[in-house]
């Protein structure tokens, strides 16, 4: 069995983002880049599945669409424990473009399980995983909080409104994962970091592809009005404000 | 030409988010000078369907086939895409909830339709078709041009005002194909929490953080939630510690919510937490640290120990309810 984990390369989630070029581009000065948090959890779960010999998993591959600048992030995924990596050498244009490049690069590789994070912390689209599944003609399950393999069958837990549903899905499949899939992201050990240097990282060139959307410009959120403080000895005043000023309760 | 709104039903019932979607789709159709068609999959009573008309759908389609028992994203995509083509839909509208997130990307590929996900307002213009959405987890917004002929939008929950219109609506059942052999998802088990207000549906959310000090101190939070008809939530450290269930974690990697009123109690307001709650219309913060970043995001604040403030707050509310 082979697992593919799609990873995105994003600014550290504590970054105070700024934009340049008439708000058209992200100002990358000083930004720390990391593996998208959900993708990091996906990778952790993939490695946990591989650690269990009864699951019979030969390899965990990571794939990324991006330029060479993302290679430290990909090496980090290898250091955490992925066996090999694939980078499609293209500047992402939109989700459809990224999903199409991934689909094109992996369609002949016959992965049994493809894991994607439910969103990337930069564009918050929740889009690439489902698109990839559709392009590959695989079933997909979204909002996944657990992936197990039992006697070669995939048992996937997905969140539904007001609860959870455990589904059995025929492989190959795409699981689009959220919180809960793994407890904490796995951290690279020194041995892993050394080994990552020599693990295979294949670079392929992109195919010609149109995008469906263009990001025209960014905007910063409007500053909120200053906080109005209420006397801690008299919180009833808060109720009064919520009722008569905010008119919300 | 039309705007097609996919409206999920829960055991034959709709809820606020359904009406929000229809209100949005109807306004968009008005902007485009066309009709808003609502589509739901599976049996729904006529009385319930009529509600969609009230919010502006001029035609309501109910896709039926006895084989439909499981939510299978491939087959649902086939059903919706088929109807979108039949109705010459130029824009499809779905919720940005679990179901919408599962379907919209597949529909985007199937219909070669550019997707704007998580929008919270009508397009700024139709030609070019410009949508506005949150990026960098709420730290910025982006103006996105959807270039394809057909477009798909997913609407953030609790982001659009309900609006009733007095228009007449028609209801039609549509028998659809359902490829039973093609269903690759089989439900093994369902675990539902009955009778609880869903965090994503709640108008008011009471959330506690590490400042609550221990899980035994949650009593007043639950009491406050009961008094206000609110859902309870928590910050990430609290769910990581196992003080509260994971389902309650709000924040970047947990649930992203947009209630009318959010109480952040003993929560400092780290960027990752704010990413999950910054779309709330009003935020109330209770914290001992006057410099906590949560106060910069809040409209109302109390500097004080939650353990002392909450019982007084509960008392004040009880008094009000008693009147």
């Amino acid at each position: 069995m082979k697992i593919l984990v799609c990873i995105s390369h994003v600014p550290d989630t504590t970054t105070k983002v700024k934009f340049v070029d008439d708000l058209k581009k992200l100002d990358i000065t000083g930004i720390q880049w990391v593996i998208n948090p959900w993708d990091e959890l996906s990778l952790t779960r993939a490695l946990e599945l591989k650690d269990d010999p009864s699951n019979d998993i030969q390899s965990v591959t990571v794939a990324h669409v991006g330029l060479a600048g993302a290679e430290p992030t990909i090496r980090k995924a290898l250091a955490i424990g992925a066996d090999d990596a694939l980078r499609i050498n293209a500047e992402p244009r939109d989700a459809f473009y990224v999903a199409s490049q991934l689909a094109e690069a992996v369609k002949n590789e016959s992965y049994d399980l493809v894991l994607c994070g439910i969103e990337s912390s930069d564009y918050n689209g929740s889009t690439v995983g489902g698109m990839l599944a559709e392009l590959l003609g695989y079933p997909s399950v979204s909002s996944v909080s657990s992936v197990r393999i039992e006697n070669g069958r995939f048992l996937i837990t997905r969140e539904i409104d007001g609860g959870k549903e455990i589904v059995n899905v025929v492989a190959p499949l795409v699981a689009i994962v959220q919180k809960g899939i793994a407890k904490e992201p796995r951290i690279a050990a020194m041995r892993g970091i050394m080994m990552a240097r020599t693990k295979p990282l294949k670079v392929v060139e992109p195919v010609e592809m149109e995008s469906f959307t263009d990001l025209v410009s960014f905007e910063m959120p409007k500053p909120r009005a200053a906080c109005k403080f209420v006397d801690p000895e008299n919180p009833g005043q808060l109720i009064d404000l919520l009722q008569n000023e905010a008119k919300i309760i | 030409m039309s705007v097609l709104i996919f409206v999920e039903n829960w055991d034959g019932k709709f809820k606020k988010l359904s009406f929000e979607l229809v209100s949005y789709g109807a306004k968009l159709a008005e902007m485009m000078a066309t009709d808003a068609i609502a589509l739901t999959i599976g049996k729904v009573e006529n009385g319930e369907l009529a509600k969609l008309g009230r919010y502006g759908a001029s035609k309501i389609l109910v896709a039926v086939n006895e084989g439909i028992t499981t939510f299978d994203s491939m087959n649902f995509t086939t059903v919706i895409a088929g109807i979108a083509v039949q109705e010459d839909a130029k824009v499809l509208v779905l919720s940005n909830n679990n179901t919408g997130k599962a379907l919209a990307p597949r529909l985007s590929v199937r219909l070669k339709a550019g997707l704007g996900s998580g929008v919270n307002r009508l397009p700024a213009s139709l030609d070019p078709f410009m949508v506005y959405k949150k990026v960098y987890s709420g730290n910025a917004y982006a103006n996105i041009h959807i270039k394809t002929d057909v477009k798909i939008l997913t609407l953030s929950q609790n982001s659009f005002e309900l609006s009733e219109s007095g228009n007449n609506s028609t209801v039609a059942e549509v028998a659809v194909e359902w490829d039973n052999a093609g269903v690759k998802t089989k439900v093994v088990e369902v675990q539902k929490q009955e009778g609880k207000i869903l965090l994503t549906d709640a108008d008011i959310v009471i959330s506690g953080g590490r400042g609550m000090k221990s899980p035994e101190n949650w009593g007043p939070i639950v009491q406050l939630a009961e008094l206000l008809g609110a859902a309870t939530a928590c910050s990430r450290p609290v769910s990581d510690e196992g003080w509260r269930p994971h389902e309650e974690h709000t924040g970047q990697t947990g649930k992203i919510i947009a209630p009318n009123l959010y109480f952040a109690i003993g929560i400092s307001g780290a960027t990752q937490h704010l990413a999950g709650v910054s779309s709330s219309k009003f935020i109330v913060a209770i914290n001992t640290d006057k410099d906590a970043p949560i106060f910069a995001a809040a409209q109302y604040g109390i500097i004080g120990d939650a353990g002392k403030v909450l019982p007084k707050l509960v008392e004040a509310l009880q008094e009000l309810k008693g009147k």
Side-chain angles (χ1 to χ4, degrees), chain B:
Chain B
M1 184 165 100
S2 68
V3 169
L4 182 67
I5 310 150
F6 173 67
V7 194
E8 186 178 359
N9 67 76
W10 292 266
D11 303 320
K13 292 276 180 273
F14 297 119
K15 55 187 185 184
K16 188 181 156 206
L17 98 86
S18 326
F19 307 133
E20 218 180 293
L21 270 181
V22 177
S23 302
Y24 181 89
K27 289 272 185 241
L28 179 59
E30 202 179 299
M31 238 176 117
M32 294 167 62
T34 184
D35 294 325
I37 303 173
L39 163 67
T40 194
I41 298 181
K43 282 265 177 216
V44 179
E45 297 287 328
N46 273 334
E48 193 69 9
L49 289 169
K51 292 182 188 168
L52 302 183
R54 226 176 288 154
Y55 290 96
S58 58
K59 182 152 87 174
I60 299 155
L61 300 177
V62 188
V64 286
N65 183 306
E66 286 188 354
I68 306 176
T69 50
T70 327
F71 174 63
D72 177 86
S73 58
M74 284 174 112
N75 270 12
F76 264 59
T77 300
T78 305
V79 168
I80 299 170
I83 288 174
V85 172
Q86 252 171 45
E87 298 294 335
D88 190 23
K90 287 295 173 228
V91 183
L92 274 75
V93 179
L94 295 92
S95 172
N96 194 35
N97 68 350
N98 292 328
T99 309
K101 283 178 184 172
L103 292 173
R106 296 201 80 117
L107 283 164
S108 168
V109 170
R110 192 79 65 93
L111 295 167
K112 296 191 167 44
L115 168 59
S117 59
V119 300
N120 62 3
R121 57 171 81 164
L122 289 165
S125 65
L126 295 175
D127 190 19
F129 198 94
M130 295 294 301
V131 296
Y132 180 82
K133 78 177 288 277
K134 217 159 75 162
V135 290
Y136 293 102
S137 306
N139 290 311
Y141 290 84
N143 294 300
I144 290 169
H145 174 203
I146 304 181
K147 302 182 287 184
T148 47
D149 178 38
V150 177
K151 287 102 181 155
I152 302 178
L153 302 177
T154 63
L155 180 68
S156 290
Q157 223 172 312
N158 206 19
S159 66
F160 201 75
E161 290 286 318
L162 296 181
S163 67
E164 296 199 34
S165 72
N167 297 348
N168 291 330
S169 59
T170 59
V171 174
E173 231 173 57
V174 193
V176 290
E177 305 259 320
W178 182 259
D179 173 17
N180 260 320
V183 174
K184 302 217 169 134
T185 317
K186 297 227 161 30
V187 177
V188 181
E189 194 186 324
V190 182
Q191 305 165 345
K192 275 204 169 173
Q193 289 181 307
E194 303 290 343
K196 256 188 103 176
I197 299 169
L198 288 186
L199 193 43
T200 42
D201 288 344
D203 285 330
I204 304 179
V205 173
I206 318 288
S207 186
R210 217 164 9 188
M212 293 302 296
K213 297 192 186 105
S214 111
E216 289 79 54
N217 298 336
W218 242 260
I221 288 196
V222 174
Q223 246 180 319
L224 202 56
E226 278 167 5
L227 282 163
L228 289 168
T232 52
C234 69
S235 68
R236 177 172 173 170
V238 165
S239 76
D240 282 355
E241 289 292 331
W243 293 1
R244 299 294 297 174
H246 278 298
E247 291 76 38
E248 288 200 357
H249 167 201
T250 48
Q252 186 168 44
T253 51
K255 291 228 163 50
I256 294 167
I257 54 169
N260 293 335
L261 177 58
Y262 181 75
F263 276 79
I265 304 170
I267 294 176
S268 65
T271 322
Q272 291 93 332
H273 185 76
L274 292 177
V277 303
S278 62
S279 298
S280 308
K281 294 189 180 76
F282 286 91
I283 295 178
V284 170
I286 302 176
N287 206 294
T288 46
D289 176 9
K290 68 173 176 28
D291 297 321
I294 191 72
F295 287 122
Q299 281 79 10
Y300 301 111
I302 298 180
I303 300 164
D305 181 13
K308 296 203 181 83
V309 174
L310 283 183
K312 286 183 194 156
L313 197 58
V314 167
E315 208 175 294
L317 256 179
Q318 276 166 339
E319 201 175 302
L320 179 83
K321 296 266 160 174
K323 272 181 195 167

Side-chain angles (χ1 to χ4, degrees), chain A residues 49-228:
Chain A
L49 290 171
K50 192 185 165 212
D51 287 346
D52 181 347
S54 67
N55 289 334
D56 191 28
I57 290 160
Q58 283 93 48
S59 62
V60 173
T61 303
V62 291
H64 172 76
V65 178
L67 301 176
E71 289 207 357
T73 299
I74 300 172
R75 287 281 171 210
K76 191 183 164 202
L78 292 170
I80 292 169
D83 297 291
D84 58 347
L86 174 69
R87 179 171 69 82
I88 297 120
N89 187 32
E91 177 99 58
R93 291 187 202 157
D94 75 343
F96 176 72
Y97 180 84
V98 169
S100 301
Q101 297 299 346
L102 284 168
E104 203 52 45
V106 307
K107 66 179 182 196
N108 298 321
E109 295 290 328
S110 62
Y111 292 102
D112 300 277
L113 172 66
V114 178
L115 294 172
C116 294
I118 191 154
E119 62 170 284
S120 63
S121 59
D122 48 7
Y123 297 126
N124 311 125
S126 298
T127 311
V128 172
M131 285 182 167
L132 178 60
E134 180 69 20
L135 288 161
L136 293 170
Y138 291 0
S140 56
V141 186
S142 189
S143 311
V144 169
S145 60
S146 160
V147 175
R148 288 184 294 135
I149 305 172
E150 240 173 49
N151 306 323
R153 294 195 324 160
F154 284 97
L155 290 177
I156 314 273
T157 306
R158 70 173 163 206
E159 189 162 333
I160 53 172
D161 269 16
K164 286 174 184 168
E165 204 169 66
I166 301 173
V167 291
N168 167 225
V169 190
V170 181
L173 73 133
V174 178
I176 300 155
V177 314
Q178 63 176 35
K179 190 186 157 74
I181 187 77
K183 201 163 182 333
E184 266 177 26
R186 198 174 276 201
I187 295 165
M190 187 45 81
R191 190 177 128 81
I193 296 169
M194 302 297 285
M195 279 168 64
R197 293 184 191 157
T198 54
K199 282 182 178 171
L201 192 170
K202 191 168 134 194
V203 180
V204 297
E205 289 307 315
V207 289
E208 262 311 307
M209 193 62 65
E210 288 297 310
S211 64
F212 284 172
T213 59
D214 286 332
L215 198 155
V216 178
S217 63
F218 292 99
E219 276 178 35
M220 295 307 281
K222 287 182 189 68
R224 289 205 179 213
C227 182
K228 208 177 249 187

